Amino acid sequence: MIKFAKVAYVTILVFLGGYLCSLFTSVGVEGWYASFAKPSATPPNYVFPIMWNILYILLIIATSMILLSPATKLRNLAHFWFIVQEVLQVLWCWLFFGMGQLGLGLIVVAVLYMIVAVMSIIYGKINIWSGRLIYPYALWLLFAVFLNALFVYEAGWSIAVS
């Protein structure tokens, strides 16, 4: 029962974060984002929910593997960074899409990328496969940093579009 509770906990947190992100994203997509001249590297809108659902599933599996491992200081650290990345992911969606704060969004997504890269190392020290399951998320975030930077550039280095 405890194993189920841990997996449920991770699943709820990941999908709650995803739900909040989708709310903020829909505000932007229906607002400023719709009329903004997007960089040519921007994938079509339908790609994002597909990718995020895949990444969420990988994150759930990886983090569940970590939380099901024996309790150690390293596992506690991994759990801490998991929570931090969840908060930063929602913050980025709110800043970038919800508020149109491209510059602040760029800072947050860059920090988020660094945290997820560290997470993959910590996860990998606990369980090699768990660490590897984080790689696609880190790569997607690296692309997000690049794309966010292009949005800032397209906006004339303005930190906000609204």
Side-chain angles (χ1 to χ4, degrees):
M1 187 63 160
I2 291 175
K3 288 181 181 181
F4 174 78
K6 288 180 179 181
V7 173
Y9 161 77
V10 172
T11 303
I12 290 167
L13 281 182
V14 169
F15 279 105
L16 177 61
Y19 174 73
L20 292 173
C21 283
S22 72
L23 292 178
F24 297 132
T25 299
S26 66
V27 168
V29 168
E30 295 168 9
W32 72 267
Y33 189 85
S35 61
F36 190 83
K38 291 159 204 62
S40 61
T42 306
N45 285 347
Y46 71 85
V47 170
F48 293 97
I50 294 168
M51 280 302 301
W52 277 111
N53 279 302
I54 292 167
L55 296 172
Y56 288 154
I57 290 167
L58 294 175
L59 182 61
I60 289 166
I61 294 168
T63 304
S64 294
M65 290 167 67
I66 294 303
L67 292 184
L68 292 172
S69 68
T72 64
K73 288 182 181 179
L74 193 59
R75 189 189 81 174
N76 291 343
L77 183 63
H79 182 229
F80 170 77
W81 287 120
F82 165 72
I83 298 296
V84 170
Q85 72 76 33
E86 282 293 308
V87 170
L88 287 177
Q89 184 184 54
V90 172
L91 178 62
W92 178 78
C93 290
W94 177 67
L95 287 169
F96 185 86
F97 286 107
M99 302 300 291
Q101 294 290 324
L102 305 179
L104 291 175
L106 178 57
I107 293 166
V108 170
V109 78
V111 171
L112 177 57
Y113 164 73
M114 289 184 278
I115 286 171
V116 169
V118 167
M119 266 177 59
S120 72
I121 294 167
I122 295 169
Y123 277 34
K125 288 181 179 183
I126 298 168
N127 178 303
I128 189 72
W129 290 107
S130 182
R132 289 178 180 171
L133 287 174
I134 299 297
Y135 293 172
Y137 183 27
L139 290 173
W140 184 253
L141 287 174
L142 188 58
F143 176 66
V145 170
F146 169 73
L147 200 54
N148 197 149
L150 288 178
F151 270 83
V152 171
Y153 175 77
E154 293 291 329
W157 296 104
S158 173
I159 61 166
V161 292
S162 47

